[in-house]
Amino acid sequence: MTETMRKPRISFFLNGRAAVAAVSPGDTALTVLRRQFGLTGTKEGCNEGDCGACTVALGELRGGTVEYRAFTSCLLPATRLHGRHVITVEGLGAPERPHPIQQAFLDHHATQCGFCTPGFVMSLFCLFARNPAATRAEIAEALEGNLCRCTGYLSIDGAGAALAEKIKINAGDIRGQILPAYCGEVAEQLHRFDRPIETVEVSEPSGERCLAYHLPATLEQAFDIMWGIAETADYRVVAGGTDVMVDANVKGAVPKHLVDVSRIAGLRSIRDDAGTIVIGANVPMTDILLHPAVRAKLPLLCAALSQMASLQVRNAATLAGNLATASPIGDAGTALLALDAVAVLTTKLGERKVPVESFYKGYRQTELCAHELVTAVEVPTADVAWDFQKSAKRSAVDITAVSSGFAAQVEGRRIVSARIALGGVAPTPVLARRTMELLTDKEIDAALIEQAARMAASEVEPISDVRGSREYRSALVRNHVAKHLSKLL
Ligand SMILES: Cc1cc2nc3c(=O)[nH]c(=O)nc-3n(C[C@H](O)[C@H](O)[C@H](O)COP(=O)(O)OP(=O)(O)OC[C@H]3O[C@@H](n4cnc5c(N)ncnc54)[C@H](O)[C@@H]3O)c2cc1C
Ligand code: FES
Ligand code: FES
């Protein structure tokens, strides 16, 4: 069945009621919530995922229950609300009856101008709804994507900690304290509502901007749609949308066709095959980080992903998107290069496998052909010594100056083989090939570390930009490599 919406309408649950919205293909959830529903508690700050003021809770059925995750609504295509439950700050409480999280903010003087407060409240709501026993560290992680320019984070952190304590004391009534009463009925409604939709095609025939937002439910449909779009046409694939929507919001770069692959169920799995973990192209980074096999067998990848962006961004962003965007400072790409991962590329005509080291072709250029999708990433799970380093001004929501991934097969003090991937020092993430050769079949000692660190720095020619000068970046490469190798001593 194909559901075509000439007058594009999406249906979803909004706070305590069912809602229908007319959307244009380039709309974000933020614009729809504010302009069509007047829910201006959801704030518009940076419009590029950095400040968290627009955070909402998006509820999705997972294993029979609705799980709420925090998303920056400025980067969330409005179409994605279809069949989901959205909770905004208005759905939690009101001035005369604040929600316990809002009350904690009041009690701890954690709000001043209040612009950031709805975003903080929604981030904490998602945390406590999922994990009422959240620790201080988990509270900090949940809030890493929310900025406040006036209150000071100590009072906000204090509000979160006091709330966690209160929940612990009243452990019997957790759901009643955190989840609004209407949430009790939503799971059943979403079961009925989240019927398989093969394609929601949202067209805007006369628009000068985006003309169509395609939301295929299967790979076959995605290829049919892509096949119908001329190779030279202005179209773009959307996965998590955390790069695509920034381009749309900030640069006005909304293509004529957006092909959203996020609902293709077949791409949303992680498989632990013998010696390889296969990660589907749709799996959000949060799910990758939560997966037991990934945690146990791919610590390097986990280290890279957990330092990426913020929780809100990781709830949306995918590995495939990080690879395909081919940013020189793509943290996941750098980790995958070190791990000798392989990208699975698929078209209507078949599949091919390309090692990540051959996938990058130049600045923002990849091996991907027209109408070809990254459908999975295969990551070998060999038992290696590993390390990942990222240098940036802040530990969260900051872009890398230099990152590096290290994976080595080691026997005693002998390095059998080593891979060193560097991000931020060339037009794409690159391997330090001469250094890798130098290290092969060598005993580790201080002299070798010094020699390898110098060689790695001499292998790259970074540029100077706002994140660091050429000299600074070269020094970082030397220090990162020395740090990686010191772990073998
Ligand atoms: C606030 C913020 C902080 C960030 N911090 C970091 C950071 O610390 N480190 C970092 O590396 N990145 C960071 N990013 C960038 C971004 O989050 C990542 O690049 C992310 O992995 C992109 O994945 P996505 O699924 O959202 O991609 P999308 O935005 O959906 O797509 C990105 C590109 O890949 C293409 N694409 C996506 N999926 C496929 C597919 N399956 N097949 C073919 N092409 C595809 C799209 O057409 C698009 O060109 C940040 C972004 C934001 C907004
Ligand atoms: S408005 Fe700043 S993250 Fe969305
Ligand atoms: S209270 Fe003013 S921005 Fe946070």
Coordinates of all heavy atoms in Angstrom, one line a residue, residues 105 109-118 120 147-153 156, ligand 3:
F105 N 13.5 22.3 39.8 CA 14.2 23.5 39.3 C 13.9 24.7 40.1 O 14.8 25.5 40.4 CB 13.9 23.7 37.8 CG 14.8 23.0 36.8 CD1 14.9 21.6 36.9 CD2 15.6 23.7 35.9 CE1 15.8 21.0 36.0 CE2 16.5 23.1 35.1 CZ 16.6 21.7 35.1
H109 N 16.7 26.9 42.5 CA 17.0 28.1 41.8 C 17.8 27.8 40.5 O 18.7 28.5 40.2 CB 17.9 29.1 42.7 CG 17.2 29.3 44.0 ND1 16.1 30.1 44.2 CD2 17.4 28.7 45.2 CE1 15.7 30.1 45.4 NE2 16.5 29.3 46.1
A110 N 17.3 26.8 39.8 CA 18.0 26.3 38.6 C 17.5 27.0 37.3 O 17.7 26.5 36.3 CB 17.9 24.8 38.5
T111 N 16.7 28.1 37.5 CA 16.2 28.8 36.3 C 16.3 30.3 36.6 O 16.0 30.7 37.7 CB 14.8 28.3 36.0 OG1 14.4 29.0 34.8 CG2 13.8 28.5 37.0
Q112 N 16.8 31.0 35.6 CA 16.8 32.5 35.7 C 16.0 33.1 34.6 O 14.8 33.3 34.8 CB 18.3 33.0 35.7 CG 19.1 32.4 36.8 CD 18.6 32.8 38.2 OE1 18.1 34.0 38.4 NE2 18.7 31.9 39.2
C113 N 16.6 33.3 33.4 CA 15.7 33.9 32.4 C 14.7 32.8 31.9 O 13.7 33.1 31.3 CB 16.6 34.4 31.2 SG 17.2 33.0 30.1
G114 N 15.1 31.5 32.0 CA 14.2 30.4 31.7 C 14.2 29.9 30.3 O 13.5 29.0 30.0
F115 N 15.0 30.6 29.5 CA 15.0 30.2 28.0 C 15.4 28.7 27.9 O 14.9 28.0 27.1 CB 15.9 31.1 27.2 CG 15.8 30.9 25.7 CD1 14.8 31.5 25.0 CD2 16.7 30.1 25.1 CE1 14.6 31.2 23.7 CE2 16.6 29.9 23.7 CZ 15.5 30.4 23.0
C116 N 16.4 28.3 28.6 CA 17.0 27.0 28.4 C 16.2 25.9 29.2 O 16.3 24.7 29.0 CB 18.4 26.9 28.9 SG 18.5 27.1 30.7
T117 N 15.3 26.4 30.2 CA 14.8 25.5 31.2 C 13.9 24.4 30.6 O 14.0 23.2 30.9 CB 14.0 26.3 32.2 OG1 14.8 27.3 32.7 CG2 13.5 25.4 33.4
P118 N 13.0 24.7 29.6 CA 12.2 23.6 29.0 C 13.1 22.5 28.4 O 12.8 21.3 28.6 CB 11.4 24.3 27.9 CG 11.4 25.7 28.3 CD 12.7 26.0 29.0
F120 N 16.2 21.6 29.4 CA 16.8 20.8 30.5 C 15.7 19.9 31.1 O 16.0 18.7 31.4 CB 17.3 21.8 31.6 CG 18.7 22.3 31.4 CD1 18.9 23.5 30.8 CD2 19.8 21.5 31.7 CE1 20.2 24.0 30.6 CE2 21.1 22.0 31.5 CZ 21.3 23.2 30.9
L147 N 22.5 23.8 27.0 CA 23.4 24.9 27.4 C 22.5 25.9 28.2 O 21.3 26.1 27.8 CB 23.9 25.7 26.2 CG 24.9 24.9 25.3 CD1 25.5 25.8 24.2 CD2 26.1 24.3 26.1
C148 N 23.1 26.5 29.2 CA 22.4 27.6 29.9 C 23.4 28.8 30.0 O 24.6 28.6 30.4 CB 22.1 27.1 31.3 SG 21.4 28.5 32.3
R149 N 22.9 30.0 29.7 CA 23.9 31.1 29.7 C 23.8 31.9 31.0 O 24.6 32.7 31.2 CB 23.6 32.0 28.5 CG 22.3 32.7 28.6 CD 21.8 33.4 27.4 NE 20.4 33.7 27.6 CZ 19.6 34.3 26.8 NH1 20.1 34.7 25.6 NH2 18.4 34.6 27.0
C150 N 22.8 31.6 31.8 CA 22.8 32.4 33.0 C 22.7 31.7 34.4 O 23.1 32.3 35.4 CB 21.7 33.5 32.9 SG 20.1 33.0 32.2
T151 N 22.2 30.5 34.5 CA 22.0 30.0 35.8 C 23.2 29.4 36.5 O 23.4 29.7 37.7 CB 20.9 28.8 35.7 OG1 19.7 29.4 35.3 CG2 20.7 28.2 37.1
G152 N 24.0 28.8 35.7 CA 25.1 28.1 36.4 C 24.7 26.6 36.5 O 23.6 26.3 37.0
Y153 N 25.6 25.7 36.1 CA 25.2 24.3 36.0 C 25.1 23.6 37.4 O 24.5 22.6 37.5 CB 26.2 23.6 35.1 CG 26.1 24.1 33.7 CD1 27.0 25.0 33.2 CD2 25.1 23.6 32.9 CE1 26.9 25.5 31.9 CE2 25.0 24.1 31.6 CZ 25.9 25.1 31.1 OH 25.7 25.6 29.8
I156 N 21.5 23.5 38.4 CA 20.8 22.5 37.6 C 21.1 21.1 38.0 O 20.2 20.3 38.1 CB 21.1 22.8 36.1 CG1 20.6 24.2 35.7 CG2 20.5 21.8 35.2 CD1 21.0 24.7 34.3
Ligands
FES3 S1 18.2 30.2 32.7 FE1 18.8 31.7 31.2 S2 19.7 30.5 29.6 FE2 19.5 29.1 31.3

